[in-house]
Amino acid sequence: MDSLAIPYRMPVIIKNVDDFELLLYEMQARQISQSKFSQMQQDAYLMLILSFIHDEIYPFKKDFYLKKGDNLQELRNKVMNSLAIHWTIDSIAERAHMSASTFQRQYKELYGKTSIADLYDMRFIKAKRLLETGYSIPYILHSCCFKSVQHFSAFFKKRAGITPTDYKKQSEKK
């Protein structure tokens, strides 16, 4: 709680709980409370929830292309603040009330890249930040929605030129 700047015993108001509900549903579907998950996995889910709450309180607002209040910008901010959710073009387009092809075309016109490329860029930035601050690989897998350690390692190495483990070691030396 302290590391996320969330005061103890203070109610947290989340304006839009759609993504939070999705996360809780996913946890329930995996029956985390009744399964034999290791303590590390349970801690990772708890950190994921706290991270989501933090992102709702301090949302990502670095967007200079559109006027405030534009629906596509709001949706983009919601997606970028919910990197742990498995987003697809269809699921994002549905929330934008557009067909997938219309959504992809408008998104690329506005941001200069596809929504999936933008999402992967943000996941890479978040993964780097988490590695730099000492978070474990399993936690990063959950919070950035990577399928496996191999998938994450290949993704990270392609973008950074080194493995996540080597990047974490370099960050610790600084």
Side-chain angles (χ1 to χ4, degrees):
M1 298 282 279
D2 289 335
S3 66
L4 296 175
I6 300 174
Y8 294 104
R9 296 189 178 124
M10 181 173 174
V12 176
I13 299 170
I14 299 174
K15 294 178 184 176
N16 189 334
V17 297
D18 292 345
D19 293 333
F20 191 60
E21 288 174 350
L22 284 171
L23 176 63
L24 291 177
Y25 176 78
E26 180 181 297
M27 289 175 60
Q28 182 182 11
R30 293 180 186 216
Q31 299 177 350
I32 189 169
S33 61
Q34 296 176 4
S35 70
K36 296 183 179 181
F37 277 10
S38 69
Q39 186 63 44
M40 183 175 70
Q41 289 169 313
Q42 290 179 20
D43 290 346
Y45 271 106
L46 180 58
M47 288 303 299
L48 184 60
I49 289 171
L50 293 175
S51 178
F52 178 81
I53 291 170
H54 176 269
D55 290 347
E56 285 291 321
I57 294 170
Y58 306 106
F60 176 78
K61 297 261 185 203
K62 187 178 178 183
D63 207 328
F64 306 105
Y65 296 102
L66 303 172
K67 294 177 184 174
K68 187 175 180 182
D70 183 86
N71 289 338
L72 195 55
Q73 178 181 348
E74 289 176 15
L75 179 59
R76 180 179 184 263
N77 288 338
K78 180 178 211 156
V79 170
M80 296 307 160
N81 284 316
S82 307
L83 299 175
I85 293 176
H86 176 72
W87 293 104
T88 63
I89 291 171
D90 290 335
S91 67
I92 300 169
E94 183 179 323
R95 286 184 178 229
H97 305 290
M98 298 179 193
S99 69
S101 59
T102 300
F103 170 75
Q104 288 176 302
R105 186 180 67 256
Q106 287 185 10
Y107 196 98
K108 190 163 185 170
E109 286 173 13
L110 290 169
Y111 296 103
K113 54 184 158 183
T114 67
S115 59
I116 298 302
D118 201 13
L119 180 62
Y120 284 162
D121 288 347
M122 284 304 299
R123 285 184 173 149
F124 177 68
I125 290 167
K126 184 172 184 177
K128 276 180 37 178
R129 186 183 74 217
L130 293 172
L131 285 168
E132 290 165 0
T133 54
Y135 283 91
S136 68
I137 300 294
Y139 173 77
I140 296 169
L141 292 178
H142 288 292
S143 64
C144 295
C145 199
F146 288 103
K147 299 172 191 170
S148 66
V149 173
Q150 294 81 8
H151 176 245
F152 173 59
S153 293
F155 170 85
F156 194 91
K157 187 171 184 175
K158 183 177 180 181
R159 289 174 176 254
I162 60 174
T163 66
T165 305
D166 291 340
Y167 185 85
K168 187 174 184 177
K169 287 176 186 175
Q170 283 182 359
S171 296
E172 291 170 353
K173 291 179 183 179
K174 292 179 184 179

